[in-house]
Amino acid sequence: MDTKTDTVSPPLTIKDFASDQEVRWCPGCGDYSVIKAVQKTLVEVGAKRENTVFVSGIGCSSRFPYYMDTYGFHGIHGRAPAIASGLLLANPDLDVWIITGDGDGLSIGGNHMLHVLRHNYNCVILLFNNGVYGLTKGQYSPTSERGQITPSSPMGVIDPPLEPIQFAIGAGAHFVARVVDIQQQQMIDVLKAAYEHKGAAMIEIFQNCTVFNDGMCDSFATKSTKFEHQIELVAGQPLIYGKARDKGFKCDPGSLSLKSYDIGGEDDDGHGAIVHDPANRSLAFMLAQMQMPEYPVATGVIYNAPEASYEREAMRQVEEAKASSDRKSVTDVLNQGFTWEV
Amino acid sequence: MPATQCFAQHGQGGVPDSAVVRFAGDSGDGIQLLGDQFSLTSAIAGNAISTFPDYPSEVRAPQGSTYGVSAFQIQFGGRNIKTIGDSADVLIAFNPAALKTNLEILKPGGLIIADQGTFSKRGLKKAGYETSPLTDGSLEGYRLLAIDITKQTLAATAPFDLSKKDKQRCKNFWGLGLIFWLFHQKRATTTAWLDRKFAKKPEIARANIAALNAGHAYGENIEASHELYSCHIPAAEMPPGKYRAVTGSQAAAWGLAAASELSGRPLVFSSYPITPATTILHHLARLKDLGVITFQAEDEIAAMCAAIGTAFAGSLGATASSGPGIALKTEAIGLAVAAELPVVIINSQRAGPSTGLPTKTEQSDLYQAVYGRNGDTPLPVLAARSPADCFDVTIEAVRIALKYMTPVMMLMDGYLGNASEPWLIPDMNKLPDISVKNCTDPEGFSPFKRDADTLARLWAIPGTPGLEHRIGGLERDYVTGDVSYDPGNHQKMSQIRIDKVKGIASDLPELEIDQGERDAELGVIGWGSTYGPISRAVSNMREKGASVAHVHLRYLYPFARNQCEITSGFGRILVPEMNMGQLVTVMRDNNCPPAEGFSKVTGRPFTVTELEEAIAARLGG
Ligand code: SF4
């Protein structure tokens, strides 16, 4: 096929990215709004269907690739990042999206998640965090709250939840963000930024499971709660929130943590709120640590400090080795070193 | 005549046609280096050789301890050498622990060269000796040459401006010089190697060469005093051409690189370190200049999954591991079967179960390879028989994987991986084209549309417009390739997966009898690295007039199509295996004639003698 035809073909629409498969998520599941945002993003960034690959593990959200008319690979539980690694080493020019969840990516696949972030393969990782195992009918997950009652924790969850953003930054991720399923515009903005980022970009998506963990985000992401309990991060903008934008954050030098203050109130030192710098790793940690109910939940791009991606570095080594070697083929290798004639 | 006799009597009788030398010392003594140098010199002299490094599993075992002993065995000679030899003619022991742990491998009447300087009270105690074996009479029945090699080395290296420690370190080359003298071998290859190796430290090179020469001169002197005689081992008749030494790991690695070239598909090798497969990763990591990409994954599972991702992208995906690691990869191997993607999985087997004996060889993963997955999940299984054969079998594994769109398991083992043999360097131009085409035509495309002959599904790779599709571990519809829960469809897909793999048999060469007749009284059937000892044992027994035949299997699943038929004429069948009888079961499973197993799971390869005795017992009965 002549690639030039691409430039004259009409731009793709959301429909072009939807496959012919019937979507099988429960009615009202947060997954629907995520797929819509992703399809919209792909249209807006001008992605090509043939260059786009969705790789998933196991779980409700991991059905995602079937509903996209792109290339897709539905892997095994927790292993999508590993499959994506091999894919990118074979073809670094692909746009690779990893679809995973709190169980898939942080429990059975925790090791792969850690390393795909550390290796920094160029991919976008959508971590659908619904705080529960949906596909197997409601058991608690690594992000379930303490005390959560589920079929496998009838007296309540004993262990503390894992916080994905801190995990990711700790693993050495270079792009970490958080969004809420129902907040479409912020999700699309973040997806675009993740798409542009060259390297592993992890987005934690708070995704409502209507069946097993309904209302997980109600305390901070509904129309009535979000102003007081959520802070939307914008690079270069001060950390300000509240319906009247009357609260800000400053760094408390004593505890080395963020502290909320009323703007114009007695704690206001007049220096203004801290400005969000996504390249600041310490700030990113502080933002990730902010937990309800003491703090509002931070959403948006929390950390963004790009570095060379793994597959590009691997290619660079190959090119360097080629340039400095006399060997051109296996024959050269076999005939090198000690040989003798009989 | 045996080599041992040759040392005792000058010019008496004939010339020995082969000899076995075992070098043994502390891990820090440079034993493997000596082995490599001696092998190379013998190979260049035209001897056929078979070698095996036998080193401890501890990375840094305490000096002088029995578990810190490193050894290297070589058989070299004028006939087609197929094994490293059951027992050694010469043992050179650089310390008491080396003598203690290796004496049992020495032939009665064999020659011991011992570094007397190390048989101090302390050295003896570390090795667990109450009294010195050099003087207490316990070595009666062997020829003993006790020399203070350390002292001799210090004298030979006196003129050099080096520390005492550095000088002492030359003692291995003093010993090598003596062994070179013993077998009339030339020193030039080793001196050239030393000059190159220590180009930046010429003083060290010169000291080692002086030690090498001094060891050689020492031999000449004792010959002059009629204490011991040197003997000449003739060259072997080998097909003419250019040779090199190759280990199984090297050959497997190069086989993958060669298959990448022959198929025109870039190689991405993903692997996680595990003994004894790791060296394959090392060899491939050094081939970046050929465009080979290696990925040391975070774990075994990731390595297999990355290979699957690579195959999905249209490149050559491969991984290597050993039994426990293959167990971890198993779920993902099933995914490759379900998704019908070509991946080559090399299993360099070691003794199990579980962690087992990591550095000891075994061939006990045959069940795992043939049967070890959930569901009805068939995949082709092949095995290499010698170090150099790993090259050919790896290419064959890739050929089958690509042509049939299936994962393929290639079995080798720790022994083959580490052992080396001379190898007639293959001409890449004469190797077959194993390339396959990608699907590019969107017309009527479905990812599970199959080739009518091979039943391989279409390979459509990301980046190809119009062929966007989704595959994975869920069952697929036979026609559309979409997810399907239809009961009849699952039956059909299960059948086609089995038919596809079984059908490969028609694409395999017919099995031939390696030695002997179809109607032999006893047929010996083997696979993998037992080829060498079985082949030698059968040929020895046949020389004695026994009615015995040898059949060797490269293809373990599916079998060559005539396997059951060609083995049906034997009076009875014996299957020697380094496991508890796995091939016997697989043969039964394939309705082949019944066979009796002969097991050895000591972590060591079969000896020729053991096999000769087993054959004789079956024929005598
Ligand atoms: S179980 Fe929960 S997460 Fe799964 S599809 Fe239904 S609503 Fe969505």
Side-chain angles (χ1 to χ4, degrees), chain B residues 194-202 205:
Chain B
L194 282 166
D195 277 333
R196 255 203 332 278
K197 168 98 184 161
F198 296 109
K200 293 212 177 87
K201 297 175 188 162

Side-chain angles (χ1 to χ4, degrees), chain A residues 1 6 19-21 24 49-53 63 65-77 79 81-91 94 111-113 115-116 118-119 121 310 314-315 317-319 321-322 325-342, chain B residues 40 43-44 189 193 196 238-245 254 257-258 261 268 286-296 298-299 301-302 305-306 308-310 312-313 315 331-332 335 339 341 391 422-423 425-426 428 460-474 476 482-483 485:
Chain A
M1 243 186 135
D6 291 351
S19 77
D20 59 357
Q21 298 294 297
R24 298 247 194 122
R49 278 190 303 200
E50 68 270 22
N51 276 350
T52 305
V53 188
R63 293 294 186 94
Y66 292 126
Y67 308 139
M68 299 294 296
D69 196 6
T70 62
Y71 283 90
F73 200 91
H74 181 205
I76 42 179
H77 209 4
R79 319 302 172 199
I83 295 167
S85 307
L87 191 63
L88 280 161
L89 285 173
N91 187 352
L94 296 172
N111 193 33
H112 308 304
M113 179 63 83
H115 288 282
V116 77
R118 184 182 70 83
H119 288 312
Y121 277 101
Y310 188 95
M315 300 303 150
Q317 285 195 342
V318 164
E319 291 314 316
K322 278 185 179 167
S325 163
D326 307 330
R327 306 189 299 190
K328 296 279 168 267
S329 65
V330 171
T331 299
D332 296 339
V333 173
L334 301 186
N335 285 279
Q336 206 176 41
F338 273 108
T339 62
W340 65 93
E341 294 284 342
V342 171
Chain B
L40 211 56
I44 291 171
T189 308
W193 180 85
R196 255 203 332 278
M238 307 223 275
K242 195 173 180 186
Y243 282 78
R244 68 167 306 130
W254 292 345
E261 217 169 274
V268 180
R286 286 187 224 123
L287 298 185
K288 289 194 187 2
D289 49 345
L290 300 193
V292 171
I293 292 189
T294 54
F295 173 43
Q296 183 177 315
E298 59 269 26
D299 60 29
I301 300 170
C305 288
I308 291 173
T310 294
F312 184 59
S315 288
E331 187 198 10
L335 173 63
L341 281 170
F391 183 81
W423 184 36
I425 299 172
M428 285 291 292
I461 67 171
T464 319
L467 301 186
E468 294 81 8
H469 66 276
R470 279 69 53 192
I471 58 170
L474 285 176
R476 302 283 133 177
D482 292 332
V483 173
Y485 292 96

Side-chain angles (χ1 to χ4, degrees), chain A residues 88-153:
Chain A
L88 280 161
L89 285 173
N91 187 352
D93 297 329
L94 296 172
D95 289 342
V96 175
W97 297 72
I98 292 172
I99 307 295
T100 183
D102 41 324
D104 189 66
L106 297 175
S107 193
I108 195 167
N111 193 33
H112 308 304
M113 179 63 83
L114 189 165
H115 288 282
V116 77
L117 295 170
R118 184 182 70 83
H119 288 312
N120 200 29
Y121 277 101
N122 184 22
C123 57
V124 181
I125 303 161
L126 304 186
L127 183 101
F128 289 61
N129 183 3
N130 58 8
V132 79
Y133 282 87
L135 194 65
T136 51
K137 309 221 183 314
Q139 300 78 11
Y140 65 97
S141 88
T143 59
S144 294
E145 290 302 321
R146 256 193 174 144
Q148 196 167 311
I149 307 286
T150 76
S152 56
S153 59

Side-chain angles (χ1 to χ4, degrees), chain B residues 576-594:
Chain B
E577 286 183 274
M578 295 189 291
N579 61 46
M580 297 305 285
Q582 301 190 11
L583 179 62
V584 175
T585 311
V586 178
M587 280 169 47
R588 193 185 304 136
D589 212 8
N590 281 270
N591 296 319
C592 285

